[in-house]
Amino acid sequence: MLKKKIFFPRGARFVIEEAHDADVGQNSVQQYSLEKNENFILAANGNTVELVLDKELDREKQKEINLLLTALDGGSPQRSGSVLIHVTVLDANDNAPVFSQAVYEASLPENSPIGTVVITVSATDADEGVNGDVTYDFGHVSENVKKVFGLDHKTGELKLISEIDFETVPTYDLRIKAKDGLGLSSYTKVTVHVTDVNDNSPVIYVKSLANQVPENVSPGTEVGIINVQDVDSDNSQNVRCSIQENVPFKLVPSIKNYYSLVTTGQLDRELVSDYNITIFATDEGSPSLSSSKTIQLSVADINDNPPVFEEQSYSAYVSENNKPGSSLCTVSAQDPDWRQNGTVIYSLLPGEVNGASVSSYLSVNGDTGVIHAVRSFDYEQFRSFKVQVMARDNGSPPLSSNVTVSVFISDVNDNSPQILYPAPEGSSFMTELVPKAAHGGSLVSKVIAVDADSGQNAWLSYHIVKATDSGLFSIDLHSGEIRTQRDISESDSMKQNLIVAVKDNGQPSLSATCSMYLLISDNLAEVPELKDISYDENSKLTSYLIIALVSVSTFFLTFIIIILGVKFCRRRKPRLLFDGAVAIPGAYLPPNYADVDGTGTLRSTYNYDAYLTTGSRTSDFKFVSSYNDNTLPADQTLKKSPTDFADVFGVCDDSPEV
C-alpha cells in the first residue's frame, strides 16, 4: 500500500518493484501498462518501473486510489500478470472550519432556568484527524455577556448560566469563533432575543404515593394524591392538570388544587411491571406556562401464571446401547411471574413403559430440565415410548403444566446376520446335487439370512469368498441365489465347495459365513464314498511341510515315500456306501437337465430341492424327480451322517473370518 502526503509536488516519482518471469529472452517481461487514472502515469526505464505523480492529490475529493499495473511478456501467446496498487492520500490542514449558518438567532423567555440550552452552533472542517477537530470559543464579547452565557467548547452548545430579565437586556449579540487543531478559524454571529412571558410556572407536589400496587387491584383504587400550585396572580393562578393517555391511571379532582391518582383498568405485572406517569400542569396566563413531573409506580406480583413450555411437545433421539446417565434432551418452561412465583421445578409424571415404571428408564433434572437415560436401551426390544414431564412453579398455591416427551431409539449395527439356510455345520450338514447337464444361469441353491437390526443395518449382501472353481458358480448380491455361470463340462470337478459370506450394510459392517457343498452328478452310482467334508486345516498345512522336506531329501527316500503314498491311496479308493447296503438304480436321477426360456431354472417337469434335518448331524439329499411313472417318488431321500462326505468334497484351504 502506497501512502503519500498531499504536498508531494507534481512529477514526484515512486519506484515499483519489477515483475518476474521465469522465461528468458523474448518470452520474459517486455512491457508494463497502468490503468488509466487522473493522478498517476507510468514511467518504465529498463528494469526500473516508476509511478509519476501527474496531478496533485486532494484527500477531500478522493481518499483512496486503486491502480492496476499489468506486466506483459513477449511470448506467443502473450501472457500477463497484474498487481493492484492501493494509494492512501493523507490529510493536510488546508481547510478552515465552516459554520452551518452565517447568523444564528434564538429566543429565550425571561427567567429561564440556569442551564437552559439557548442554541447550538455547528461548524465542520473538511480535513481529518487533528486538522478537522473543531473547538468553539467566544470572539470579542463583553464580560457581562460571558457572565450570562456559557459556551461548550466541544459541542457548541450556548447555555444560560445566570438569570436574564427582558426589562434589563432585551437582546444579546454574541460573536463565536470555531478553530481547528492547527489554528485555522472562522466566526459566526449569534443573536439572542429575550421574550417577556409569565414568569412563574406551576409547581407539582406529590403528597402521597403507594410503594407498590398489587396487579389484581380493582379499577378505581386510589394510589396517590397530587397537589399543584402557581404563585402568579389573576389567570396565571388557574391551573389545569392532566396525565398522558397511555397508562391505566387518571387524575380525579378533589378539593382546590388537589387531585387523586386512581386506576382505570386491570393491571398485569407480566406486561408492565413499572409505570412512569408524567403529570402535566398548565396555567391560564398569557402566554401560559406549564410544568411536568414524572412519578414511578411499581406493580406487585401475584402467582397468576402457570409455567409454559417453549414447545408443545418434545422429541428425543438416542442410539441403542447408550450409556446410562447420558442426556437425551432438555425441556424448558418459562413462568412470567416474579421470584418464587416464577421459579420452575421439573419432574416426571408417574407412568409405565413396557410394564416398568417410567423412572426406571428416565430421570429429569429438577432445576435445568435436562432429561437423562437411567438405563441402556435396546432397539430390538422397543423403538419408542412417551413420558409426561411436569413444570411447577414455587408460588402459593403452586401452578403447573405438562408436556409430552417422545423418546425415539435409533438402531445400531449390533447384530450380525443370521444364516437360516444352509444351517451351520454344527447342527446339520447340507449338500446339494447339481446335474451335469445344467446350463449357465441355472439355479443351484439359495442362501437365506436375516438380520435383527433394521434400516441399512439390515441390508444384506451375499458374496462368494472362496470356491473350488471360481468361474463355475455365482451368487446374487441381494437375493443370495446361487447359479451356474456357464454350462457344466466333463472337466469340472465333481466336488464343489463354496464359502459364502453374508454382510450387512452397517458401520462397521458385520458378517457371517457358511459353507455350501455341491456334487455334480446325474447318477448316485457315480457318487464316491461319502465321508465327512470337514477338514483340519493345520493337518493339511503340516502335510505340505512334510512333503516339502521330503522333496529335499535323497532320491531314495523320495522313492520310498511315493510308493507308500500309492499304497495309501489304493486303500482309500472311493466307494459308494449306503445304509443297509441298498443299491440306488441309475434311473433314480433324470438324465437331462435344461433351462426353460432362458430363465436360469430347471425344467418344470423336475423338482430340484435340498433340505436338512434339524437337531442332528444327518443330512438329506432330495434328488430331482420327473413327474412320470418311470422315476421314484420325490419324497425318497438319501440320508447319511456328516462323517460320510469327506472323500466326495475333499478339504478347503481356509475359511474367511466373520
Side-chain angles (χ1 to χ4, degrees), residues 130-199:
V130 67
N131 299 328
D133 290 339
V134 179
T135 58
Y136 304 91
D137 204 351
F138 287 114
H140 300 288
V141 296
S142 65
E143 291 299 324
N144 291 332
V145 171
K146 292 183 179 179
K147 292 179 180 179
V148 177
F149 298 99
L151 182 63
D152 191 303
H153 299 290
K154 292 184 177 180
T155 63
E157 286 185 344
L158 186 65
K159 294 183 179 180
L160 193 63
I161 60 176
S162 66
E163 294 182 353
I164 58 174
D165 189 356
F166 173 79
E167 287 72 27
T168 302
V169 180
T171 303
Y172 292 90
D173 291 324
L174 297 83
R175 188 171 175 83
I176 296 179
K177 177 176 67 174
K179 182 175 67 174
D180 64 19
L182 294 182
L184 296 181
S185 60
S186 60
Y187 294 87
T188 189
K189 180 181 178 181
V190 178
T191 300
V192 180
H193 303 282
V194 181
T195 61
D196 187 19
V197 294
N198 184 20
D199 291 333

Side-chain angles (χ1 to χ4, degrees), residues 541-581:
L541 180 61
T542 303
S543 301
Y544 286 155
L545 292 175
I546 293 174
I547 294 174
L549 292 174
V550 172
S551 299
V552 190
S553 65
T554 61
F555 175 77
F556 176 76
L557 295 178
T558 305
F559 178 75
I560 296 300
I561 293 173
I562 293 175
I563 294 176
L564 294 176
V566 170
K567 291 182 178 181
F568 179 77
C569 289
R570 288 179 179 178
R571 291 179 60 188
R572 294 180 57 85
K573 182 177 181 181
R575 63 186 181 274
L576 186 63
L577 295 178
F578 299 98
D579 290 342

Side-chain angles (χ1 to χ4, degrees), residues 41 175 198 241 255 266 477 582:
I41 61 175
R175 188 171 175 83
N198 184 20
C241 196
I255 60 177
Q266 188 70 41
L477 181 65
V582 179

Side-chain angles (χ1 to χ4, degrees), residues 18 30 54 59 87 92 100 125-126 135 143-144 192 211 235 249 256 420 499 501 517 527 532 546 558 606 630 652 658:
E18 62 178 329
Q30 299 296 319
D54 187 52
R59 189 201 64 82
V87 179
S100 60
D125 194 314
T135 58
E143 291 299 324
N144 291 332
V192 180
N211 292 329
N235 291 335
F249 300 94
K256 184 178 180 180
L420 303 179
I499 298 179
Y517 304 101
V527 179
D532 192 354
I546 293 174
T558 305
Y606 297 98
N630 296 326
C652 299
V658 177

Side-chain angles (χ1 to χ4, degrees), residues 81 136 138 150 208 269 307 327 453 466 566 602 622 635 654:
Y136 304 91
F138 287 114
S208 66
R269 192 209 65 86
S327 61
D453 296 318
K466 188 170 183 180
V566 170
L602 300 178
K622 189 170 186 181
D635 59 351
D654 57 4

Side-chain angles (χ1 to χ4, degrees), residues 522-540:
D522 287 338
N523 195 328
L524 284 178
E526 299 176 357
V527 179
E529 180 182 0
L530 304 178
K531 295 290 181 71
D532 192 354
I533 298 178
S534 61
Y535 63 94
D536 185 351
E537 183 176 348
N538 294 330
S539 297
K540 184 174 182 180

Side-chain angles (χ1 to χ4, degrees), residues 63-99:
K63 295 182 179 180
E64 296 180 347
I65 302 174
N66 291 322
L67 305 175
L68 184 63
L69 179 63
T70 304
L72 303 169
D73 63 16
S76 180
Q78 190 178 44
R79 299 183 181 274
S80 64
S82 300
V83 65
L84 182 66
I85 302 174
H86 184 69
V87 179
T88 301
V89 182
L90 301 182
D91 184 46
N93 191 27
D94 58 346
N95 294 279
V98 178
F99 280 98

